[in-house]
């Protein structure tokens, strides 16, 4: 690769912004009574915050968080740990 292409920081920055601009939504899976439900969020942090609120209100039992395509991002144990960290004010 020519040096002028390898050192094109502007092109690198533009490529990084394009990749960062694609925000992937996440889905929180939880139970309400005997019915499995889902809710979509902009970030994992927002999903964990909502899971914590639902759990502390005794409204529901959060199960896991997935990407929009179904890839599991946080299983039940990881979600419980994240909610604990959220409650303590620590980064998720």
């Amino acid at each position: 690769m020519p040096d002028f292409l390898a050192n094109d920081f502007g092109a690198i920055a533009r490529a990084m912004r394009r990749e960062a601009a694609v925000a992937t939504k996440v889905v929180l899976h939880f139970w309400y009574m005997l019915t499995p439900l889902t809710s979509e969020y902009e970030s994992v942090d927002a999903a964990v915050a909502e899971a914590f609120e639902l759990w502390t209100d005794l409204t529901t039992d959060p199960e896991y968080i997935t990407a929009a395509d179904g890839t599991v991002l946080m299983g039940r144990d990881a979600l419980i740990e994240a909610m604990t960290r959220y409650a303590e004010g620590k980064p998720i």
Side-chain angles (χ1 to χ4, degrees), residues 8-74:
D8 188 356
F9 295 112
I12 294 169
R14 285 188 298 278
M16 289 174 67
R17 278 195 300 273
R18 273 194 308 272
E19 288 182 19
V22 178
T24 58
K25 296 192 184 247
V26 298
V27 181
L28 171 64
H29 298 261
F30 56 94
W31 286 90
Y32 180 71
M33 305 234 177
L34 299 175
T35 307
L37 300 174
T38 61
S39 186
E40 194 172 274
Y41 298 92
E42 295 294 324
S43 68
V44 171
D45 293 341
V48 169
E50 183 66 20
F52 178 76
E53 294 301 321
L54 292 170
W55 185 64
T56 55
D57 291 342
L58 300 175
T59 304
T60 186
D61 187 17
E63 282 294 308
Y64 55 96
I65 296 175
T66 64
D69 66 0
T71 305
V72 176
L73 302 175
M74 276 189 189

